[in-house]
């Protein structure tokens, strides 16, 4: 609680500094010390920022350090040395002792916790005083420094704006940090996975059965991590079946909406089509599993395919294709809109019909843009998770029969990471390796697609 | 001179029978093409209608006061969506509190202040790529960073909100940049001309004018986050939680995950509950998208 | 051109041109009335093409009384590799309207934007040379660019009111500079500025309406009122009438006459008649160079340079 108290005090100091700075600046103006460079409000903000921000940053950095220090102190104490070595049990006792020490609970269940609670309380108080005191000193120093600067000529506004600028830069850095976080966490866990399972086995193996044994001597304990069937299943559902559905429907919808539909009809149909993209994927997944999959299985059985599964690739791909339609449609829409009107007019003026103009002139001209859009759609489809988790199967088959069951990369990631496994088993780590592959592939697809689209836009600008 | 390409003379060239048939054929093709286009749109919409009708038919019977006020339960008659709904709200709140300010500030920086250099290009490329990264990857990030490195509580709206915020932020940045770009430079000149600083120009004039556009993008991003399931499964929000969460650090589930969990139940009675929960989710999504469209139409400004 | 040379003078019309010389001279003698009350009583300004009559066009004579308000020395502007201004030196005087003329792309607008450092906002633009405002270097680190722009106001080519109310448009500047301690002061400043811009009577009953709802000419006068509201010393006008119809143009020109003396004014125009009508000093730019700078009457009736002569007589431009 000491750190919280320090936080409150820091804010109070900063507020007082702001008030003082404001009244001093206002006094300067009233006493006719010339025109102030900055409004009193800026002087106040300047003082507040200098008092609060360094101290708060210090507190934010101090909190985890203090936790380490306190834990270290507790474990080094006589009572702490008697605690069990086992991590989980020790963490439980420490957690309980912490709650007891801070008064969140009245009594502990574990006697160990009760014993070390006073040690805990003492360490907390000591380090809290050090950290909190230092933060308070920082705040007072910042406030004092800022207050000495209140003068008519002082540019408090640019001082405040420098802080704001720092905030803006920091916000834009979050994007880089996120990317970095993704790349590093995927790489780090994948490397650990590849130290247990050779990368070539993972990338080129055709057997996928990631069950780890409960006992070391159990049969098949090593598990097989050949992910070719997963890659095939992903491509089969996301890049083949879904695209066979989405490309014609999306493209024709875009053509109808941009070239044929009257403006009023378009303004009704287009938002309705966009609802398709707004439906949550879990809804699609449920719909695919509950309604579409049985229909597809019956269809398969009806045409004499006895192996037709109720978790067929076709059902998942079909629904995924429907989900992608508005995406393809709006990309095609943009590409068609970018074709210069003069080109269309030229064709129509020769007596070509509208469909001839579209097929012979507009579509060829818009093709690079459409291709770029399709690539983006593929990247979205192969990264889609819920539809395949709910509607595609778990059996890693290498089959081209759409009525059979296949599994995908995203399905397996979910499968591997749900349940309370140990974090360090190859089974969990394999999910990160799959994630890395998925990340790299979608990244490449996006880069290529954006490149294609940009080149295409430039051609007509 | 060899024989002419077109045999008939000028007068009959366009009125001959062959030409008439040809034109008729071309018009038939035209009509077919047009019908094909209309069919594509209608087929897509028919699927949407099929989906909605299925859900309503199956789910309408699942609504009851228990359903709207209770949390998850093993007995379908006692199960409700309130716990999941509250979890969703807490999660979205965390997401919005983080993604909106960060996204807007980053958009302001990139559009108004960033000079073109390698570093800022890197920021820009990052944002554009993050917007296209599959959501499940963000789940893996959340698992590795928030749970494993930072030791935040599993299944908590806090972690879910953080993960979804990272996912939504690029969407807000991109929408924000487009909205800021649409504010005409003459407004900036005008404010600079009376002695406003660059910061004052941005925060007094540009940002308020861009706000409707930014809000539209934000709401659409939030709607997407609200419907997101996969990343939340990764950070453990799939446990059986029988009470509404008390705060952002207590274990919770969210509506889409609740749907996913119920869809796996063997008990047939859960089909009705699942469909009813889907209706609740869709109503929220439609409300948010409707709000976005309303904002866009009301505040859209032609310069 | 769009309009006769005679400005529209709705109140107390001054006979033209017989008493014009006297009126002009009287004004010069009286010096520049700075009191707020004085400006309404000031005699109607008149066209100044005939100023040559009361002055002696000797080459070495200074173009204004006392120190110049702004002095630019050897200004060069580069946009990346391209040089837009090639060493221009001009003085802007407190009591005069200075017109910058020349064919399009000659650098006159670029030069104008140097005077309140609006070129800072263009990426890749680089300015060398020295510009002084009351003897102080405006590019020195001691000069706060924001205060500079408050002292050297600007009116742009296209009217660019903020999409806020008329009141807020004018009040914005005083607010950010803290010129109005109270709401009543702010009201006074807004009213005074709008009056001075000749817009008060037209808008006093609808101050809460959006500034963008006004007509083009009214919008431009609103922009002038907005510039005046921060009490600048110099007003820069970048082709302020190019987007306006002849009647609105006439009103703006009339306004420029009324503002002369209270503010040093520099105006860029591609309309030579306008330069002749509103200015006392004219600078002729061509291809980034200052070809000739002098009294407006001299430039238009007796240019020293062949290029000026050619431009004025319409041989190119």
């Amino acid at each position: 609680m000491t750190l919280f108290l320090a936080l409150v005090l820091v804010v109070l100091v900063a507020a007082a500094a702001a008030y003082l700075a404001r009244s001093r600046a206002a006094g300067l103006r009233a006493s006719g010390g010339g025109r102030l460079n900055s409004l009193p409000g800026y002087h106040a903000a300047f003082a507040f920022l200098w008092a609060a921000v360094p101290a708060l940053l210090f507190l934010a950095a101090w909190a985890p350090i203090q936790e380490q220090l306190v834990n270290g102190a507790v474990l080094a104490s006589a009572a702490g040395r008697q605690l069990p070595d086992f991590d989980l049990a020790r963490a439980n006792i420490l957690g309980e002792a912490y709650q007891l020490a801070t008064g969140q609970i009245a009594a502990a269940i574990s006697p160990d916790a009760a014993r070390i609670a006073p040690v805990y309380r003492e360490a907390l108080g000591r380090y809290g005083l050090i950290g909190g005191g230092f933060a308070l000193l920082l705040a007072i120093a910042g406030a004092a420094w800022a207050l000495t600067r209140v003068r008519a000529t002082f540019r408090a506004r640019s001082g405040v704006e420098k802080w704001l600028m720092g905030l803006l830069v920091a916000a834009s850095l979050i994007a880089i940090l996120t990317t970095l976080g993704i790349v590093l966490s995927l790489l780090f866990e994948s490397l650990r996975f590849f130290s247990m399972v050779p990368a070539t086995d993972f990338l080129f193996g055709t057997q996928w059965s990631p069950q780890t044994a409960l006992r070391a001597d159990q049969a098949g304990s090593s598990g097989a991590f050949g992910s070719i069937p997963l890659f095939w299943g992903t491509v089969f559902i996301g890049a083949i079946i879904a695209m066979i559905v989405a490309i014609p429907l999306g493209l024709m919808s875009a053509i109808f909406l941009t070239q044929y539909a009257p403006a009023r009809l378009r303004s009704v149909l287009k938002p309705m089509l966009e609802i398709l993209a707004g439906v949550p994927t879990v809804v699609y997944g449920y719909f695919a599993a509950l309604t579409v999959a049985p229909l597809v299985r019956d269809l398969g059985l009806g045409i004499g395919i006895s192996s037709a599964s109720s978790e067929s690739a076709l059902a998942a791909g079909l629904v995924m294709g429907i989900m992608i339609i508005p995406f393809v449609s709006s990309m095609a829409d943009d590409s068609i809109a970018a074709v210069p009107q003069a080109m269309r007019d030229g064709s129509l003026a020769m007596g070509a019909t509208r469909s001839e103009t579209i097929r012979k002139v507009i579509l060829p001209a818009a093709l690079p843009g459409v291709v770029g859009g399709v690539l983006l759609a593929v990247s979205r489809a192969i990264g889609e998770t819920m539809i395949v988790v709910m509607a595609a199967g778990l059996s890693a088959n290498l089959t081209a029969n759409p009525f059979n069951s296949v599994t995908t990369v995203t399905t397996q990631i979910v499968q591997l990471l749900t349940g309370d496994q140990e974090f360090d088993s190859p089974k969990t780590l394999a999910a990160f390796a799959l994630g890395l592959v998925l990340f790299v592939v979608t990244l490449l697809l996006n880069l290529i697609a954006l490149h294609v689209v940009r080149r295409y836009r430039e051609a007509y600008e | 001179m060899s024989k002419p390409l077109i045999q008939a003379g000028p007068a009959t060239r366009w009125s001959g029978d062959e030409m008439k048939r040809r034109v008729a054929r071309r018009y038939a093709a035209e009509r077919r093409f047009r019908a094909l286009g209309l069919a594509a749109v209608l087929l897509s919409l028919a699927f949407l209608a099929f989906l909605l009708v299925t859900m309503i038919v199956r789910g309408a019977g699942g609504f009851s006061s228990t359903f709207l006020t209770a949390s998850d339960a093993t007995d379908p008659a006692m199960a409700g969506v309130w716990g999941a709904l509250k979890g969703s709200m807490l999660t979205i709140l965390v997401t919005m509190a983080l993604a909106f300010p960060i996204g807007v500030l980053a958009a302001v920086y990139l559009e108004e202040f960033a000079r073109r250099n390698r570093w800022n290009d890197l920021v820009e490329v990052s944002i554009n790529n993050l917007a296209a990264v599959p959501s499940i990857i963000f789940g893996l990030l959340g698992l590795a960073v928030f749970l494993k490195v930072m030791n935040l509580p599993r299944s908590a709206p806090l972690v879910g909100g953080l993960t979804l915020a990272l996912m939504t932020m690029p969407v807000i940045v991109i929408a924000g940049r487009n909205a800021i770009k649409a504010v005409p430079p003459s407004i900036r000149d005008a404010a600079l001309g009376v002695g406003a600083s660059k910061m004052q120009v941005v925060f007094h004039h540009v940002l308020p004018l861009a706000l409707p556009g930014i809000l539209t993008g934000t709401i659409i991003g939030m709607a997407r986050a609200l419907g997101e399931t996969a990343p939340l499964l990764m950070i453990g929000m799939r446990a059986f939680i029988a009470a509404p969460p008390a705060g952002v650090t207590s274990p919770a589930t969210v509506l889409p995950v609740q749907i996913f969990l119920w869809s796996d139940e063997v008990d047939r009675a859960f089909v009705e509950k699942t469909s009813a929960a889907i209706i609740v989710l869709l109503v929220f999504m439609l409300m948010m998208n409707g709000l976005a469209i309303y904002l866009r139409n009301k505040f859209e400004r032609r310069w | 051109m769009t309009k006769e040379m005679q400005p529209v003078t709705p109140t107390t019309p001054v006979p033209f041109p017989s008493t014009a010389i006297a009126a002009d001279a009287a004004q010069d003698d009286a010096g520049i009335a700075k009191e707020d009350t004085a400006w309404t009583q000031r005699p109607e300004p008149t066209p100044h093409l005939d100023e040559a009559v009361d002055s002696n066009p000797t080459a070495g004579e200074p173009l204004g009384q006392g120190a110049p308000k702004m002095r630019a020395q050897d200004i060069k502007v580069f946009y990346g590799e391209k040089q837009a201004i090639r060493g221009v030196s001009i003085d802007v005087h407190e009591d005069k309207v200075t017109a910058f003329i020349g064919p399009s792309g000659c650098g006159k607008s670029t030069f104008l934007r140097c005077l309140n450092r609006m070129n800072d906002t263009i990426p890749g633009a680089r300015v060398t040379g020295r510009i002084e405002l009351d003897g102080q270097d405006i590019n020195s680190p001691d000069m706060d660019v924001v205060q500079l722009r408050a002292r050297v106001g600007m009116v742009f080519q296209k009217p660019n009111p903020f999409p806020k109310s008329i009141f807020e448009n004018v009040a914005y500047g005083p607010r950010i500079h803290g010129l109005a301690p109270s709401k009543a002061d702010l009201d006074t400043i807004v009213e005074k500025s709008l009056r001075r811009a000749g817009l008060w009577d037209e808008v006093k009953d609808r101050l809460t309406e959006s500034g963008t709802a006004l007509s083009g000419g009214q919008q431009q006068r609103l922009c002038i009122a907005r510039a005046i509201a921060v009490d600048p010393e110099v007003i820069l006008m970048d082709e302020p009438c190019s987007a306006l119809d002849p009647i609105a143009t006439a009103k703006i020109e009339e306004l420029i006459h009324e503002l002369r003396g209270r503010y040093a004014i520099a105006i860029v125009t591609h309309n030579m008649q306008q330069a002749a009508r509103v200015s006392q000093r004219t600078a002729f730019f061509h291809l980034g160079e200052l070809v000739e700078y002098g009294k407006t009457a001299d430039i238009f009736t007796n240019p020293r340079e062949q290029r000026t002569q050619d431009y004025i007589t319409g041989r190119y431009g």
Side-chain angles (χ1 to χ4, degrees), chain B residues 51-62:
Chain B
L51 190 153
L52 294 179
V53 168
T54 311
M55 293 306 151
I56 291 170
V57 166
R58 286 181 194 236

Side-chain angles (χ1 to χ4, degrees), chain A residues 42 157 161 173 175 181 189 192 256 260 278 286-287 290 322 351 353-356 417-418 423 435 446, chain B residues 26 30 38 47 58 105 109 113 119 126-127 132 137 140-141 148 197 199-200 229 238 263 271 278 285:
Chain A
Y42 281 111
R157 188 185 42 69
E161 285 177 355
L173 286 188
E189 308 293 351
R192 286 174 61 196
F256 180 78
Y260 286 108
Y286 184 61
F287 185 66
L290 199 74
I322 301 283
T353 63
R354 264 205 279 191
S355 65
E356 284 161 353
L417 283 180
T418 44
F423 201 81
N446 286 322
Chain B
R26 287 172 62 200
E30 169 77 19
L38 184 61
F47 189 90
R58 286 181 194 236
L105 292 178
Y109 175 74
F113 294 98
W119 177 253
S126 298
I127 287 176
I137 302 283
L140 291 176
L141 172 73
K148 210 181 151 217
S197 69
M199 278 293 169
Q200 288 173 324
T229 320
R238 61 178 297 162
S263 76
V271 170
I278 284 177
M285 304 288 286

Side-chain angles (χ1 to χ4, degrees), chain B residues 230-277:
Chain B
L232 301 179
L233 294 180
M234 297 292 96
I235 53 154
M237 281 185 121
R238 61 178 297 162
F240 174 81
I241 314 264
V248 290
T249 51
S250 41
T253 190
V254 295
L255 203 45
V257 175
Q258 188 71 75
I259 291 168
F260 173 64
L261 293 177
W262 281 349
S263 76
D264 254 5
E265 292 284 344
V266 199
D267 194 332
R268 291 292 298 174
F270 269 110
V271 170
E272 193 176 58
K273 296 288 163 196
T274 313
S275 304

Side-chain angles (χ1 to χ4, degrees), chain C residues 187-232:
Chain C
D187 289 344
T188 314
I189 290 177
V190 169
E191 179 178 342
K192 206 163 73 183
S193 308
L194 283 170
R195 273 191 197 284
R196 225 174 263 182
L199 194 61
W200 176 252
D201 292 332
E202 290 161 64
V203 301
K204 64 182 175 208
D205 298 325
R206 44 178 185 143
L207 289 175
T208 53
E209 273 175 42
S210 172
T212 50
L214 296 172
S215 74
Q218 288 174 321
Q219 286 189 12
Q220 194 62 299
R221 278 180 284 149
L222 178 62
C223 292
I224 293 174
R226 183 174 67 191
I228 291 172
V230 293
D231 196 21

Side-chain angles (χ1 to χ4, degrees), chain B:
Chain B
M1 286 299 238
S2 59
K3 72 174 188 180
L5 284 170
I6 296 169
Q7 299 281 353
T12 55
R13 188 189 294 169
W14 302 109
S15 54
D17 281 351
E18 195 188 339
M19 188 53 89
K20 270 186 186 150
R21 275 197 302 279
R22 194 179 165 75
V23 168
R25 254 200 329 274
R26 287 172 62 200
Y27 273 120
E30 169 77 19
R31 279 192 299 274
R32 275 200 304 278
F33 193 72
R34 190 192 154 100
L36 213 60
L38 184 61
V41 178
L42 293 183
L43 195 61
S44 310
L45 293 181
F47 189 90
L48 179 67
F50 182 33
L51 190 153
L52 294 179
V53 168
T54 311
M55 293 306 151
I56 291 170
V57 166
R58 286 181 194 236
F63 283 96
S64 64
S65 59
T66 318
F67 180 72
L68 291 176
T69 53
S71 293
D72 198 4
T74 44
D75 175 9
M78 302 301 294
V81 285
W82 172 241
L85 210 55
K86 192 172 175 197
S88 272
M89 283 172 189
L90 288 173
T91 307
I92 287 296
L93 223 59
V94 173
T95 302
M96 193 149 79
L98 289 168
F100 182 68
I102 293 176
V104 172
L105 292 178
V108 164
Y109 175 74
L110 289 175
E111 209 48 54
E112 296 284 330
F113 294 98
R115 289 170 204 283
R116 280 208 72 82
N117 59 33
R118 199 172 289 178
W119 177 253
N120 288 322
D121 282 350
L122 195 66
V123 175
E124 208 167 327
V125 169
S126 298
I127 287 176
N128 289 337
N129 281 322
L130 282 180
V133 167
S135 61
I136 192 167
I137 302 283
F138 286 97
L140 291 176
L141 172 73
L143 172 61
V145 174
F146 298 137
L147 293 189
K148 210 181 151 217
V149 175
M150 291 166 72
N151 272 322
L152 294 173
R154 266 176 91 84
S155 305
L158 176 67
V159 179
L162 276 168
T163 308
L164 293 181
L166 294 182
M167 196 188 86
T168 317
M169 197 232 355
V171 178
I172 298 177
V173 174
I174 291 170
R177 290 188 67 175
N178 288 333
I180 290 171
K181 220 179 277 176
V183 176
S186 67
I187 298 290
R188 296 175 177 83
D189 281 350
L192 286 172
V194 291
S197 69
K198 184 86 197 181
M199 278 293 169
Q200 288 173 324
V201 172
V202 169
F203 284 95
H204 293 173
H205 296 281
V206 177
L207 213 47
L209 291 175
L211 206 58
I214 299 176
L215 281 181
T216 308
T218 304
I219 294 170
I220 289 171
M222 287 301 141
R224 234 168 79 180
L226 179 69
E228 198 56 76
T229 320
L232 301 179
L233 294 180
M234 297 292 96
I235 53 154
M237 281 185 121
R238 61 178 297 162
F240 174 81
I241 314 264
V248 290
T249 51
S250 41
T253 190
V254 295
L255 203 45
V257 175
Q258 188 71 75
I259 291 168
F260 173 64
L261 293 177
W262 281 349
S263 76
D264 254 5
E265 292 284 344
V266 199
D267 194 332
R268 291 292 298 174
F270 269 110
V271 170
E272 193 176 58
K273 296 288 163 196
T274 313
S275 304
I278 284 177
I279 295 173
V280 174
L281 182 61
L282 286 179
V283 165
F284 271 91
M285 304 288 286
L286 279 181
M287 268 165 41
M288 289 176 85
N289 282 309
L291 184 65
I293 291 169
Y294 169 78
L295 270 179
R296 186 166 60 196
N297 292 344
K298 180 159 163 86
F299 292 103
E300 197 172 48
R301 196 189 283 272
R302 299 245 173 269
W303 296 100

Side-chain angles (χ1 to χ4, degrees), chain A residues 45-64:
Chain A
F46 183 78
F48 185 89
L49 287 168
W50 272 102
V53 178
L56 292 182
L57 285 179
F58 170 78
L59 276 180
W62 175 255

